[in-house]
PDB file of all heavy atoms in Angstrom:
ATOM      1  N   ILE A   1       9.735   0.533   1.331  1.00  0.00           N
ATOM      2  CA  ILE A   1       8.436   0.756   0.687  1.00  0.00           C
ATOM      3  C   ILE A   1       7.419  -0.222   1.234  1.00  0.00           C
ATOM      4  O   ILE A   1       6.280   0.138   1.551  1.00  0.00           O
ATOM      5  CB  ILE A   1       8.569   0.600  -0.841  1.00  0.00           C
ATOM      6  CG1 ILE A   1       9.580   1.601  -1.388  1.00  0.00           C
ATOM      7  CG2 ILE A   1       7.219   0.768  -1.523  1.00  0.00           C
ATOM      8  CD1 ILE A   1       9.921   1.372  -2.841  1.00  0.00           C
ATOM      9  N   LEU A   2       7.804  -1.475   1.349  1.00  0.00           N
ATOM     10  CA  LEU A   2       6.895  -2.495   1.872  1.00  0.00           C
ATOM     11  C   LEU A   2       6.479  -2.162   3.300  1.00  0.00           C
ATOM     12  O   LEU A   2       5.302  -2.285   3.657  1.00  0.00           O
ATOM     13  CB  LEU A   2       7.565  -3.866   1.821  1.00  0.00           C
ATOM     14  CG  LEU A   2       6.781  -5.016   2.460  1.00  0.00           C
ATOM     15  CD1 LEU A   2       5.463  -5.228   1.741  1.00  0.00           C
ATOM     16  CD2 LEU A   2       7.605  -6.282   2.467  1.00  0.00           C
ATOM     17  N   LEU A   3       7.425  -1.726   4.118  1.00  0.00           N
ATOM     18  CA  LEU A   3       7.106  -1.407   5.500  1.00  0.00           C
ATOM     19  C   LEU A   3       6.105  -0.260   5.576  1.00  0.00           C
ATOM     20  O   LEU A   3       5.186  -0.275   6.396  1.00  0.00           O
ATOM     21  CB  LEU A   3       8.378  -1.057   6.262  1.00  0.00           C
ATOM     22  CG  LEU A   3       8.213  -0.889   7.778  1.00  0.00           C
ATOM     23  CD1 LEU A   3       7.725  -2.180   8.398  1.00  0.00           C
ATOM     24  CD2 LEU A   3       9.516  -0.458   8.405  1.00  0.00           C
ATOM     25  N   GLN A   4       6.256   0.728   4.701  1.00  0.00           N
ATOM     26  CA  GLN A   4       5.285   1.814   4.663  1.00  0.00           C
ATOM     27  C   GLN A   4       3.901   1.285   4.275  1.00  0.00           C
ATOM     28  O   GLN A   4       2.880   1.741   4.797  1.00  0.00           O
ATOM     29  CB  GLN A   4       5.736   2.887   3.677  1.00  0.00           C
ATOM     30  CG  GLN A   4       6.987   3.625   4.115  1.00  0.00           C
ATOM     31  CD  GLN A   4       7.342   4.734   3.144  1.00  0.00           C
ATOM     32  OE1 GLN A   4       6.508   5.569   2.840  1.00  0.00           O
ATOM     33  NE2 GLN A   4       8.572   4.736   2.658  1.00  0.00           N
ATOM     34  N   ALA A   5       3.885   0.332   3.355  1.00  0.00           N
ATOM     35  CA  ALA A   5       2.603  -0.259   2.969  1.00  0.00           C
ATOM     36  C   ALA A   5       1.970  -0.988   4.154  1.00  0.00           C
ATOM     37  O   ALA A   5       0.753  -0.932   4.354  1.00  0.00           O
ATOM     38  CB  ALA A   5       2.796  -1.224   1.803  1.00  0.00           C
ATOM     39  N   MET A   6       2.793  -1.671   4.962  1.00  0.00           N
ATOM     40  CA  MET A   6       2.267  -2.353   6.137  1.00  0.00           C
ATOM     41  C   MET A   6       1.639  -1.355   7.108  1.00  0.00           C
ATOM     42  O   MET A   6       0.562  -1.579   7.657  1.00  0.00           O
ATOM     43  CB  MET A   6       3.397  -3.100   6.866  1.00  0.00           C
ATOM     44  CG  MET A   6       4.078  -4.193   6.083  1.00  0.00           C
ATOM     45  SD  MET A   6       3.017  -5.595   5.740  1.00  0.00           S
ATOM     46  CE  MET A   6       2.715  -5.313   4.011  1.00  0.00           C
ATOM     47  N   VAL A   7       2.325  -0.221   7.306  1.00  0.00           N
ATOM     48  CA  VAL A   7       1.824   0.781   8.237  1.00  0.00           C
ATOM     49  C   VAL A   7       0.527   1.387   7.719  1.00  0.00           C
ATOM     50  O   VAL A   7      -0.375   1.732   8.479  1.00  0.00           O
ATOM     51  CB  VAL A   7       2.887   1.871   8.466  1.00  0.00           C
ATOM     52  CG1 VAL A   7       2.335   2.993   9.332  1.00  0.00           C
ATOM     53  CG2 VAL A   7       4.118   1.272   9.123  1.00  0.00           C
ATOM     54  N   GLY A   8       0.383   1.484   6.400  1.00  0.00           N
ATOM     55  CA  GLY A   8      -0.755   2.183   5.831  1.00  0.00           C
ATOM     56  C   GLY A   8      -1.924   1.314   5.461  1.00  0.00           C
ATOM     57  O   GLY A   8      -2.799   1.769   4.730  1.00  0.00           O
ATOM     58  N   LEU A   9      -1.972   0.078   5.927  1.00  0.00           N
ATOM     59  CA  LEU A   9      -3.094  -0.789   5.569  1.00  0.00           C
ATOM     60  C   LEU A   9      -4.411  -0.159   6.017  1.00  0.00           C
ATOM     61  O   LEU A   9      -4.611   0.133   7.188  1.00  0.00           O
ATOM     62  CB  LEU A   9      -2.934  -2.163   6.229  1.00  0.00           C
ATOM     63  CG  LEU A   9      -1.861  -3.065   5.629  1.00  0.00           C
ATOM     64  CD1 LEU A   9      -1.763  -4.346   6.424  1.00  0.00           C
ATOM     65  CD2 LEU A   9      -2.156  -3.372   4.185  1.00  0.00           C
ATOM     66  N   ASP A  10      -5.300   0.058   5.079  1.00  0.00           N
ATOM     67  CA  ASP A  10      -6.563   0.711   5.415  1.00  0.00           C
ATOM     68  C   ASP A  10      -7.733   0.095   4.666  1.00  0.00           C
ATOM     69  O   ASP A  10      -8.766   0.732   4.472  1.00  0.00           O
ATOM     70  CB  ASP A  10      -6.490   2.209   5.114  1.00  0.00           C
ATOM     71  CG  ASP A  10      -6.188   2.489   3.645  1.00  0.00           C
ATOM     72  OD1 ASP A  10      -5.976   1.525   2.899  1.00  0.00           O
ATOM     73  OD2 ASP A  10      -6.188   3.661   3.253  1.00  0.00           O
ATOM     74  N   GLY A  11      -7.592  -1.145   4.220  1.00  0.00           N
ATOM     75  CA  GLY A  11      -8.705  -1.805   3.551  1.00  0.00           C
ATOM     76  C   GLY A  11      -8.704  -1.643   2.061  1.00  0.00           C
ATOM     77  O   GLY A  11      -9.611  -2.116   1.386  1.00  0.00           O
ATOM     78  N   THR A  12      -7.704  -0.991   1.487  1.00  0.00           N
ATOM     79  CA  THR A  12      -7.657  -0.809   0.048  1.00  0.00           C
ATOM     80  C   THR A  12      -6.741  -1.854  -0.571  1.00  0.00           C
ATOM     81  O   THR A  12      -5.838  -2.386   0.072  1.00  0.00           O
ATOM     82  CB  THR A  12      -7.126   0.586  -0.300  1.00  0.00           C
ATOM     83  OG1 THR A  12      -5.814   0.720   0.230  1.00  0.00           O
ATOM     84  CG2 THR A  12      -8.014   1.659   0.295  1.00  0.00           C
ATOM     85  N   SER A  13      -6.987  -2.146  -1.836  1.00  0.00           N
ATOM     86  CA  SER A  13      -6.180  -3.172  -2.495  1.00  0.00           C
ATOM     87  C   SER A  13      -4.982  -2.581  -3.203  1.00  0.00           C
ATOM     88  O   SER A  13      -4.123  -3.297  -3.677  1.00  0.00           O
ATOM     89  CB  SER A  13      -7.035  -3.925  -3.520  1.00  0.00           C
ATOM     90  OG  SER A  13      -7.456  -3.041  -4.545  1.00  0.00           O
ATOM     91  N   CYS A  14      -4.933  -1.265  -3.355  1.00  0.00           N
ATOM     92  CA  CYS A  14      -3.806  -0.639  -4.036  1.00  0.00           C
ATOM     93  C   CYS A  14      -3.397   0.599  -3.256  1.00  0.00           C
ATOM     94  O   CYS A  14      -4.226   1.456  -2.958  1.00  0.00           O
ATOM     95  CB  CYS A  14      -4.180  -0.265  -5.469  1.00  0.00           C
ATOM     96  SG  CYS A  14      -2.769   0.218  -6.486  1.00  0.00           S
ATOM     97  N   LEU A  15      -2.141   0.684  -2.892  1.00  0.00           N
ATOM     98  CA  LEU A  15      -1.647   1.782  -2.071  1.00  0.00           C
ATOM     99  C   LEU A  15      -0.625   2.586  -2.865  1.00  0.00           C
ATOM    100  O   LEU A  15       0.272   2.019  -3.487  1.00  0.00           O
ATOM    101  CB  LEU A  15      -0.993   1.242  -0.793  1.00  0.00           C
ATOM    102  CG  LEU A  15      -1.873   0.361   0.087  1.00  0.00           C
ATOM    103  CD1 LEU A  15      -1.022  -0.255   1.180  1.00  0.00           C
ATOM    104  CD2 LEU A  15      -2.997   1.160   0.683  1.00  0.00           C
ATOM    105  N   GLU A  16      -0.750   3.887  -2.846  1.00  0.00           N
ATOM    106  CA  GLU A  16       0.192   4.765  -3.521  1.00  0.00           C
ATOM    107  C   GLU A  16       1.125   5.372  -2.485  1.00  0.00           C
ATOM    108  O   GLU A  16       0.678   6.042  -1.551  1.00  0.00           O
ATOM    109  CB  GLU A  16      -0.548   5.870  -4.275  1.00  0.00           C
ATOM    110  CG  GLU A  16       0.365   6.676  -5.189  1.00  0.00           C
ATOM    111  CD  GLU A  16      -0.428   7.627  -6.057  1.00  0.00           C
ATOM    112  OE1 GLU A  16      -0.666   8.750  -5.585  1.00  0.00           O
ATOM    113  OE2 GLU A  16      -0.811   7.247  -7.178  1.00  0.00           O
ATOM    114  N   ILE A  17       2.414   5.136  -2.642  1.00  0.00           N
ATOM    115  CA  ILE A  17       3.370   5.464  -1.587  1.00  0.00           C
ATOM    116  C   ILE A  17       4.426   6.431  -2.113  1.00  0.00           C
ATOM    117  O   ILE A  17       5.227   6.057  -2.966  1.00  0.00           O
ATOM    118  CB  ILE A  17       4.048   4.186  -1.070  1.00  0.00           C
ATOM    119  CG1 ILE A  17       2.990   3.208  -0.581  1.00  0.00           C
ATOM    120  CG2 ILE A  17       5.037   4.511   0.027  1.00  0.00           C
ATOM    121  CD1 ILE A  17       3.535   1.860  -0.279  1.00  0.00           C
ATOM    122  N   PRO A  18       4.445   7.668  -1.624  1.00  0.00           N
ATOM    123  CA  PRO A  18       5.540   8.575  -1.987  1.00  0.00           C
ATOM    124  C   PRO A  18       6.838   8.108  -1.326  1.00  0.00           C
ATOM    125  O   PRO A  18       6.863   7.814  -0.140  1.00  0.00           O
ATOM    126  CB  PRO A  18       5.093   9.928  -1.426  1.00  0.00           C
ATOM    127  CG  PRO A  18       3.652   9.759  -1.071  1.00  0.00           C
ATOM    128  CD  PRO A  18       3.464   8.306  -0.766  1.00  0.00           C
ATOM    129  N   SER A  19       7.900   8.027  -2.084  1.00  0.00           N
ATOM    130  CA  SER A  19       9.170   7.576  -1.525  1.00  0.00           C
ATOM    131  C   SER A  19      10.038   8.772  -1.170  1.00  0.00           C
ATOM    132  O   SER A  19       9.706   9.920  -1.459  1.00  0.00           O
ATOM    133  CB  SER A  19       9.906   6.689  -2.535  1.00  0.00           C
ATOM    134  OG  SER A  19      10.441   7.486  -3.574  1.00  0.00           O
ATOM    135  N   ARG A  20      11.147   8.497  -0.563  1.00  0.00           N
ATOM    136  CA  ARG A  20      12.070   9.562  -0.181  1.00  0.00           C
ATOM    137  C   ARG A  20      12.872  10.062  -1.378  1.00  0.00           C
ATOM    138  O   ARG A  20      13.626  11.019  -1.261  1.00  0.00           O
ATOM    139  CB  ARG A  20      13.015   9.042   0.905  1.00  0.00           C
ATOM    140  CG  ARG A  20      12.290   8.631   2.180  1.00  0.00           C
ATOM    141  CD  ARG A  20      13.221   7.961   3.160  1.00  0.00           C
ATOM    142  NE  ARG A  20      12.523   7.534   4.362  1.00  0.00           N
ATOM    143  CZ  ARG A  20      13.076   6.808   5.323  1.00  0.00           C
ATOM    144  NH1 ARG A  20      14.345   6.439   5.226  1.00  0.00           N
ATOM    145  NH2 ARG A  20      12.376   6.457   6.393  1.00  0.00           N
ATOM    146  N   LEU A  21      12.736   9.420  -2.530  1.00  0.00           N
ATOM    147  CA  LEU A  21      13.476   9.803  -3.727  1.00  0.00           C
ATOM    148  C   LEU A  21      12.599  10.575  -4.696  1.00  0.00           C
ATOM    149  O   LEU A  21      12.861  10.610  -5.892  1.00  0.00           O
ATOM    150  CB  LEU A  21      14.040   8.541  -4.405  1.00  0.00           C
ATOM    151  CG  LEU A  21      14.935   7.665  -3.529  1.00  0.00           C
ATOM    152  CD1 LEU A  21      15.363   6.421  -4.290  1.00  0.00           C
ATOM    153  CD2 LEU A  21      16.158   8.460  -3.079  1.00  0.00           C
ATOM    154  N   ASP A  22      11.525  11.192  -4.197  1.00  0.00           N
ATOM    155  CA  ASP A  22      10.620  11.990  -5.018  1.00  0.00           C
ATOM    156  C   ASP A  22      10.008  11.177  -6.149  1.00  0.00           C
ATOM    157  O   ASP A  22       9.720  11.704  -7.227  1.00  0.00           O
ATOM    158  CB  ASP A  22      11.341  13.216  -5.596  1.00  0.00           C
ATOM    159  CG  ASP A  22      11.793  14.172  -4.504  1.00  0.00           C
ATOM    160  OD1 ASP A  22      11.087  14.229  -3.469  1.00  0.00           O
ATOM    161  OD2 ASP A  22      12.824  14.828  -4.677  1.00  0.00           O
ATOM    162  N   ALA A  23       9.819   9.889  -5.920  1.00  0.00           N
ATOM    163  CA  ALA A  23       9.120   9.030  -6.889  1.00  0.00           C
ATOM    164  C   ALA A  23       7.911   8.421  -6.187  1.00  0.00           C
ATOM    165  O   ALA A  23       7.846   8.376  -4.961  1.00  0.00           O
ATOM    166  CB  ALA A  23      10.048   7.938  -7.410  1.00  0.00           C
ATOM    167  N   THR A  24       6.960   7.975  -6.962  1.00  0.00           N
ATOM    168  CA  THR A  24       5.745   7.384  -6.406  1.00  0.00           C
ATOM    169  C   THR A  24       5.659   5.927  -6.810  1.00  0.00           C
ATOM    170  O   THR A  24       5.770   5.592  -7.995  1.00  0.00           O
ATOM    171  CB  THR A  24       4.495   8.140  -6.905  1.00  0.00           C
ATOM    172  OG1 THR A  24       4.575   9.479  -6.458  1.00  0.00           O
ATOM    173  CG2 THR A  24       3.232   7.492  -6.363  1.00  0.00           C
ATOM    174  N   TYR A  25       5.464   5.052  -5.823  1.00  0.00           N
ATOM    175  CA  TYR A  25       5.357   3.625  -6.072  1.00  0.00           C
ATOM    176  C   TYR A  25       3.922   3.181  -5.814  1.00  0.00           C
ATOM    177  O   TYR A  25       3.332   3.538  -4.797  1.00  0.00           O
ATOM    178  CB  TYR A  25       6.306   2.842  -5.171  1.00  0.00           C
ATOM    179  CG  TYR A  25       7.766   3.087  -5.453  1.00  0.00           C
ATOM    180  CD1 TYR A  25       8.440   4.122  -4.807  1.00  0.00           C
ATOM    181  CD2 TYR A  25       8.461   2.313  -6.365  1.00  0.00           C
ATOM    182  CE1 TYR A  25       9.774   4.372  -5.064  1.00  0.00           C
ATOM    183  CE2 TYR A  25       9.804   2.545  -6.625  1.00  0.00           C
ATOM    184  CZ  TYR A  25      10.445   3.573  -5.975  1.00  0.00           C
ATOM    185  OH  TYR A  25      11.765   3.817  -6.236  1.00  0.00           O
ATOM    186  N   ALA A  26       3.386   2.403  -6.727  1.00  0.00           N
ATOM    187  CA  ALA A  26       2.051   1.825  -6.562  1.00  0.00           C
ATOM    188  C   ALA A  26       2.207   0.368  -6.159  1.00  0.00           C
ATOM    189  O   ALA A  26       2.783  -0.426  -6.904  1.00  0.00           O
ATOM    190  CB  ALA A  26       1.247   1.932  -7.851  1.00  0.00           C
ATOM    191  N   VAL A  27       1.716   0.022  -4.973  1.00  0.00           N
ATOM    192  CA  VAL A  27       1.824  -1.335  -4.451  1.00  0.00           C
ATOM    193  C   VAL A  27       0.453  -2.013  -4.570  1.00  0.00           C
ATOM    194  O   VAL A  27      -0.499  -1.600  -3.908  1.00  0.00           O
ATOM    195  CB  VAL A  27       2.285  -1.327  -2.980  1.00  0.00           C
ATOM    196  CG1 VAL A  27       2.395  -2.750  -2.448  1.00  0.00           C
ATOM    197  CG2 VAL A  27       3.618  -0.609  -2.854  1.00  0.00           C
ATOM    198  N   GLN A  28       0.367  -3.011  -5.427  1.00  0.00           N
ATOM    199  CA  GLN A  28      -0.869  -3.771  -5.582  1.00  0.00           C
ATOM    200  C   GLN A  28      -0.847  -4.936  -4.593  1.00  0.00           C
ATOM    201  O   GLN A  28       0.061  -5.776  -4.624  1.00  0.00           O
ATOM    202  CB  GLN A  28      -1.004  -4.312  -7.002  1.00  0.00           C
ATOM    203  CG  GLN A  28      -2.282  -5.091  -7.271  1.00  0.00           C
ATOM    204  CD  GLN A  28      -3.503  -4.190  -7.269  1.00  0.00           C
ATOM    205  OE1 GLN A  28      -3.481  -3.127  -7.873  1.00  0.00           O
ATOM    206  NE2 GLN A  28      -4.556  -4.607  -6.598  1.00  0.00           N
ATOM    207  N   THR A  29      -1.800  -4.983  -3.675  1.00  0.00           N
ATOM    208  CA  THR A  29      -1.809  -5.988  -2.622  1.00  0.00           C
ATOM    209  C   THR A  29      -2.804  -7.101  -2.923  1.00  0.00           C
ATOM    210  O   THR A  29      -3.597  -7.022  -3.863  1.00  0.00           O
ATOM    211  CB  THR A  29      -2.163  -5.358  -1.263  1.00  0.00           C
ATOM    212  OG1 THR A  29      -3.553  -5.031  -1.249  1.00  0.00           O
ATOM    213  CG2 THR A  29      -1.343  -4.108  -1.015  1.00  0.00           C
ATOM    214  N   THR A  30      -2.760  -8.127  -2.107  1.00  0.00           N
ATOM    215  CA  THR A  30      -3.666  -9.278  -2.246  1.00  0.00           C
ATOM    216  C   THR A  30      -4.931  -9.121  -1.415  1.00  0.00           C
ATOM    217  O   THR A  30      -5.770 -10.022  -1.396  1.00  0.00           O
ATOM    218  CB  THR A  30      -2.956 -10.564  -1.791  1.00  0.00           C
ATOM    219  OG1 THR A  30      -2.633 -10.451  -0.400  1.00  0.00           O
ATOM    220  CG2 THR A  30      -1.681 -10.795  -2.583  1.00  0.00           C
ATOM    221  N   LEU A  31      -5.080  -8.005  -0.698  1.00  0.00           N
ATOM    222  CA  LEU A  31      -6.181  -7.860   0.246  1.00  0.00           C
ATOM    223  C   LEU A  31      -7.535  -7.930  -0.456  1.00  0.00           C
ATOM    224  O   LEU A  31      -7.725  -7.334  -1.513  1.00  0.00           O
ATOM    225  CB  LEU A  31      -6.062  -6.537   1.000  1.00  0.00           C
ATOM    226  CG  LEU A  31      -4.849  -6.368   1.910  1.00  0.00           C
ATOM    227  CD1 LEU A  31      -4.858  -4.998   2.540  1.00  0.00           C
ATOM    228  CD2 LEU A  31      -4.821  -7.448   2.977  1.00  0.00           C
ATOM    229  N   ASP A  32      -8.440  -8.637   0.164  1.00  0.00           N
ATOM    230  CA  ASP A  32      -9.839  -8.633  -0.248  1.00  0.00           C
ATOM    231  C   ASP A  32     -10.491  -7.435   0.437  1.00  0.00           C
ATOM    232  O   ASP A  32     -10.697  -7.443   1.651  1.00  0.00           O
ATOM    233  CB  ASP A  32     -10.501  -9.940   0.173  1.00  0.00           C
ATOM    234  CG  ASP A  32     -11.945 -10.049  -0.272  1.00  0.00           C
ATOM    235  OD1 ASP A  32     -12.663  -9.022  -0.232  1.00  0.00           O
ATOM    236  OD2 ASP A  32     -12.377 -11.157  -0.638  1.00  0.00           O
ATOM    237  N   GLU A  33     -10.805  -6.394  -0.339  1.00  0.00           N
ATOM    238  CA  GLU A  33     -11.250  -5.137   0.267  1.00  0.00           C
ATOM    239  C   GLU A  33     -12.495  -5.336   1.127  1.00  0.00           C
ATOM    240  O   GLU A  33     -12.601  -4.794   2.230  1.00  0.00           O
ATOM    241  CB  GLU A  33     -11.532  -4.111  -0.827  1.00  0.00           C
ATOM    242  CG  GLU A  33     -10.286  -3.654  -1.556  1.00  0.00           C
ATOM    243  CD  GLU A  33     -10.583  -2.540  -2.534  1.00  0.00           C
ATOM    244  OE1 GLU A  33     -11.557  -1.795  -2.314  1.00  0.00           O
ATOM    245  OE2 GLU A  33      -9.840  -2.413  -3.514  1.00  0.00           O
ATOM    246  N   ARG A  34     -13.448  -6.130   0.644  1.00  0.00           N
ATOM    247  CA  ARG A  34     -14.681  -6.322   1.400  1.00  0.00           C
ATOM    248  C   ARG A  34     -14.407  -7.054   2.712  1.00  0.00           C
ATOM    249  O   ARG A  34     -14.895  -6.655   3.775  1.00  0.00           O
ATOM    250  CB  ARG A  34     -15.691  -7.106   0.565  1.00  0.00           C
ATOM    251  CG  ARG A  34     -17.006  -7.367   1.284  1.00  0.00           C
ATOM    252  CD  ARG A  34     -17.965  -8.182   0.420  1.00  0.00           C
ATOM    253  NE  ARG A  34     -19.197  -8.460   1.146  1.00  0.00           N
ATOM    254  CZ  ARG A  34     -19.365  -9.460   1.995  1.00  0.00           C
ATOM    255  NH1 ARG A  34     -18.340 -10.286   2.232  1.00  0.00           N
ATOM    256  NH2 ARG A  34     -20.504  -9.649   2.628  1.00  0.00           N
ATOM    257  N   PHE A  35     -13.604  -8.112   2.662  1.00  0.00           N
ATOM    258  CA  PHE A  35     -13.332  -8.882   3.865  1.00  0.00           C
ATOM    259  C   PHE A  35     -12.471  -8.081   4.835  1.00  0.00           C
ATOM    260  O   PHE A  35     -12.638  -8.170   6.052  1.00  0.00           O
ATOM    261  CB  PHE A  35     -12.655 -10.202   3.488  1.00  0.00           C
ATOM    262  CG  PHE A  35     -12.673 -11.218   4.593  1.00  0.00           C
ATOM    263  CD1 PHE A  35     -13.842 -11.498   5.275  1.00  0.00           C
ATOM    264  CD2 PHE A  35     -11.537 -11.906   4.950  1.00  0.00           C
ATOM    265  CE1 PHE A  35     -13.875 -12.439   6.288  1.00  0.00           C
ATOM    266  CE2 PHE A  35     -11.546 -12.843   5.960  1.00  0.00           C
ATOM    267  CZ  PHE A  35     -12.718 -13.112   6.632  1.00  0.00           C
ATOM    268  N   GLN A  36     -11.556  -7.284   4.301  1.00  0.00           N
ATOM    269  CA  GLN A  36     -10.742  -6.424   5.150  1.00  0.00           C
ATOM    270  C   GLN A  36     -11.626  -5.436   5.912  1.00  0.00           C
ATOM    271  O   GLN A  36     -11.471  -5.243   7.124  1.00  0.00           O
ATOM    272  CB  GLN A  36      -9.728  -5.665   4.286  1.00  0.00           C
ATOM    273  CG  GLN A  36      -8.915  -4.625   5.022  1.00  0.00           C
ATOM    274  CD  GLN A  36      -7.667  -5.178   5.678  1.00  0.00           C
ATOM    275  OE1 GLN A  36      -7.441  -6.373   5.700  1.00  0.00           O
ATOM    276  NE2 GLN A  36      -6.851  -4.293   6.229  1.00  0.00           N
TER     277      GLN A  36
END
């Protein structure tokens, strides 16, 4: 899940990641959206 979050970095502070187990994980990151 973390690796998918790394691949999907797009300037957002919260990433929603569909997993292979048909569940959805919300990853809250430390990114500063404006600075990113």
Side-chain angles (χ1 to χ4, degrees):
I1 301 171
L2 174 62
L3 188 61
Q4 293 183 53
M6 298 293 106
V7 175
L9 287 177
D10 59 357
T12 60
S13 64
C14 191
L15 303 171
E16 190 172 88
I17 303 170
S19 74
R20 298 173 182 173
L21 303 177
D22 296 329
T24 298
Y25 294 89
V27 180
Q28 181 69 46
T29 73
T30 63
L31 296 178
D32 183 322
E33 292 186 27
R34 179 181 178 276
F35 196 48
Q36 174 87 353

